[in-house]
Amino acid sequence: MIDDLVHELRASTRPLVICDIDEVVLEFLDPFQDFLASMQYRLHADSFHLKGNVRSVVDGSAASHEAIHEFEETFFATQDRWQRPARNAKSVLDALHEMADIVFLTAMPPRHHAVRRTLLDNLDIRFPMISTDEAKGPIAAGLIGAAGRPSVFIDDLHTNLHSVRSHAPDCMLINMMASDVFRALAPPPGEGVNLALDWNHADNLIRAHFASLRAL
Ligand SMILES: [Mg+2]
C-alpha cells in the first residue's frame, strides 16, 4: 500500500507537503497528560524530555524507561479516546490541498495505523498517511522523487527535520509544535529549519516558499 502511495505521489507534479501527525496535526502532549492523569502519573515540563519528567502523582517517583514505553503503547492503542486536532490544522491543510499534494508521515508503530486512520477520518482529515518506525529522511526523499518538485516537511522533532535535511536538501523544513509549554522548552531547531508558531504562520511560510519557486 505504501508502494502504491509513493508511486502515485511521485507521478504528481504538484508541490508536496509532508506533514507529521503528533503535535502537528493532532495534539499529543496535552492529551498524553490527560491519559497519564488517568494512570495516576503526570508529565512535568521541567525539560524537553519525557524521561525523568513522567512522575507518579502518588509518590513522586519517576516512571522508568520501560513504563514510559508502556504508557505510549497504551496511549497510541486508545488514541481515539484522547487525541484532538491541533488548532487550524484541518482548515489550513484543506486550503493548501487546492494547490499541493498532502501526505502524512507519522513516526508511530504501524500496528496503530488503523486506529489513527479511523480517528483522522472521523475528523474528516482524509489525506493519505504513512506510519513508520524508520528514519523519515529517506522516506520523504522517496515521496518527493528525483524530479525535485517543490516540497515542504513539517515536524515537531529536530531529529526528523535533520533527517529530511540530509536526504532531501531542497525540501523546506518547518518546525511546529502544538504545545506552547513544550515549544518554549525546545532548543533552537537548527540551521535551515523555519520555526512556525501555529498553522496560520506555517501557511504563510509554505505559500511564500512555493511562490518563490514559481518565480524562478
Ligand atoms: Mg510529532
Side-chain angles (χ1 to χ4, degrees), residues 120-172:
L120 291 170
D121 287 348
N122 288 340
L123 294 166
D124 198 26
I125 301 174
R126 298 184 182 275
F127 303 111
M129 175 174 69
I130 295 170
S131 309
T132 185
D133 290 321
E134 295 169 27
K136 291 193 176 183
I139 299 173
L143 292 168
I144 295 164
R149 63 180 161 144
S151 58
V152 171
F153 174 75
I154 311 169
D155 206 289
D156 61 313
L157 294 181
H158 301 174
T159 46
N160 295 330
L161 291 157
H162 298 172
S163 174
V164 172
R165 184 174 63 193
S166 299
H167 290 86
D170 292 333
C171 180
M172 185 203 211

Side-chain angles (χ1 to χ4, degrees), residues 185-202:
L185 293 172
E191 197 179 331
V193 180
N194 300 272
L195 195 60
L197 296 177
D198 55 30
W199 267 103
N200 288 333
H201 188 190

Side-chain angles (χ1 to χ4, degrees), residues 46-78:
D46 294 346
S47 62
F48 194 66
H49 298 286
L50 290 182
K51 194 159 182 269
N53 289 334
V54 176
R55 300 202 284 275
S56 166
V57 173
V58 178
D59 62 12
S61 61
S64 66
H65 183 75
E66 291 73 25
I68 292 173
H69 180 75
E70 272 302 305
F71 285 146
E72 288 183 315
E73 185 65 21
T74 306
F75 176 80
F76 278 136
T78 60

Side-chain angles (χ1 to χ4, degrees), residues 20-24 28 105-107 136 155-157 160 176:
D20 181 32
I21 294 285
D22 288 305
E23 276 297 288
V24 176
F28 171 82
L105 181 54
T106 181
K136 291 193 176 183
D155 206 289
D156 61 313
L157 294 181
N160 295 330
M176 184 163 54

Side-chain angles (χ1 to χ4, degrees), residues 63-132:
S64 66
H65 183 75
E66 291 73 25
I68 292 173
H69 180 75
E70 272 302 305
F71 285 146
E72 288 183 315
E73 185 65 21
T74 306
F75 176 80
F76 278 136
T78 60
Q79 60 186 279
D80 52 330
R81 283 172 46 196
W82 305 100
Q83 288 192 276
R84 47 194 180 251
R87 190 163 10 105
N88 296 327
K90 175 178 161 49
S91 58
V92 169
L93 285 171
D94 283 347
L96 282 172
H97 188 233
E98 290 172 16
M99 48 130 24
D101 293 332
I102 314 276
V103 62
F104 295 141
L105 181 54
T106 181
M108 178 186 69
R111 60 184 168 276
H112 301 303
H113 185 98
V115 65
R116 171 152 290 179
R117 182 72 268 170
T118 302
L119 170 60
L120 291 170
D121 287 348
N122 288 340
L123 294 166
D124 198 26
I125 301 174
R126 298 184 182 275
F127 303 111
M129 175 174 69
I130 295 170
S131 309
T132 185

